[in-house]
Amino acid sequence: MIRNLLGSLVALAGAASAVLSPFRPWYDGRLGRDYRVRDLFEGITLTESGVLVSILLPFLAAAALVVLGAVLRSRLVTAFAGVVVLGFTVLWMVRQGQAAGSLAVSGDGSGLRVGVVNALAGGVLMLIGAALMRGRRSRGAGRERRRDQPSGEPFAVPPADQVDTWPPTREPGMSVQTSPWPEPEVDPYTGPDPHAPRDPHPGDPAAGEDPRDPVHPPHRPPPT
């Protein structure tokens, strides 16, 4: 969730930079919106271009793809938008270099300008955002995982050599046994030891006691 949000924010920042770039100078003081899309395939000309048919058009389409990719949490769609921006920017650089003879950067305002930097940075940010996103988790994989999981048991039983682990992280937990030696097994109670000397019962002749009751002595039968 956090990675998807962070990747979406980075990709949206790249889309904003790409859309802003045609409104800034690209080469020798000429704005990016003055270059027609057809000039990228047929060669750079001095013909002015409308906004909707300029290089802004593919950048707007790429920005829409970024928004769609952020909503769908799709890394593929977001990365494709970055490739579109970088592809059109590199294609413009090739055509501009053919028209001007070379591409240069100078301090007097001629040559490549800040608009190209914005476009390249926007495409790179889109690719970084796509790399940061985790994408959508497959529901089929979740169903397969739940199908393999035994019913009534949320986590699998740990192996015999890792009994002191806590699911689901399997991190070692506190062991109950503190001695390195095995704990002695306690025999279950089976009653008194038959070989032990037992106490004689009261009134037993073997005990040497009078079997008669001292409290209620027996009465003699009446004479007949």
Side-chain angles (χ1 to χ4, degrees):
M1 181 63 181
I2 301 299
R3 290 187 57 181
N4 286 331
L5 179 59
L6 181 60
S8 299
L9 292 177
V10 174
L12 290 174
S17 178
V19 173
L20 179 63
S21 64
F23 297 94
R24 311 194 72 176
W26 275 51
Y27 192 83
D28 200 13
R30 190 177 181 183
L31 299 180
R33 65 184 183 185
D34 294 335
Y35 294 96
R36 299 179 301 177
V37 175
R38 60 183 299 181
D39 291 345
L40 304 181
F41 302 95
E42 299 177 358
I44 300 297
T45 63
L46 298 178
T47 305
E48 297 294 333
S49 173
V51 176
L52 296 181
V53 293
S54 66
I55 199 174
L56 175 64
L57 181 62
F59 289 175
L60 286 176
L65 288 177
V66 169
V67 175
L68 181 62
V71 172
L72 300 178
R73 291 179 294 176
S74 174
R75 302 177 61 183
L76 182 61
V77 174
T78 306
F80 179 71
V83 172
V84 169
V85 172
L86 291 177
F88 275 90
T89 305
V90 172
L91 182 59
W92 173 87
M93 295 175 67
V94 172
R95 292 301 185 183
Q96 182 63 43
Q98 294 175 350
S102 63
L103 292 177
V105 180
S106 59
D108 58 356
S110 60
L112 296 175
R113 301 294 301 276
V114 67
V116 181
V117 177
N118 289 139
L120 294 175
V124 172
L125 287 176
M126 292 179 191
L127 294 180
I128 294 176
L132 291 176
M133 296 172 64
R134 294 188 61 181
R136 303 185 65 178
R137 183 173 298 179
S138 176
R139 295 184 179 180
R143 287 194 296 267
E144 290 294 333
R145 191 180 301 109
R146 288 192 297 268
R147 188 179 299 112
D148 296 339
Q149 201 76 15
S151 59
E153 186 175 345
F155 301 103
V157 178
D161 58 342
Q162 298 179 0
V163 293
D164 294 331
T165 54
W166 296 95
T169 59
R170 299 300 182 192
E171 296 180 357
M174 182 180 297
S175 176
V176 177
Q177 182 177 347
T178 58
S179 175
W181 304 103
E183 294 183 357
E185 296 184 0
V186 180
D187 294 333
Y189 178 75
T190 58
D193 188 2
H195 302 287
R198 58 189 183 88
D199 297 335
H201 297 287
D204 190 354
E209 296 182 358
D210 190 358
R212 293 176 297 178
D213 188 357
V215 179
H216 303 285
H219 297 280
R220 293 180 179 181
T224 56

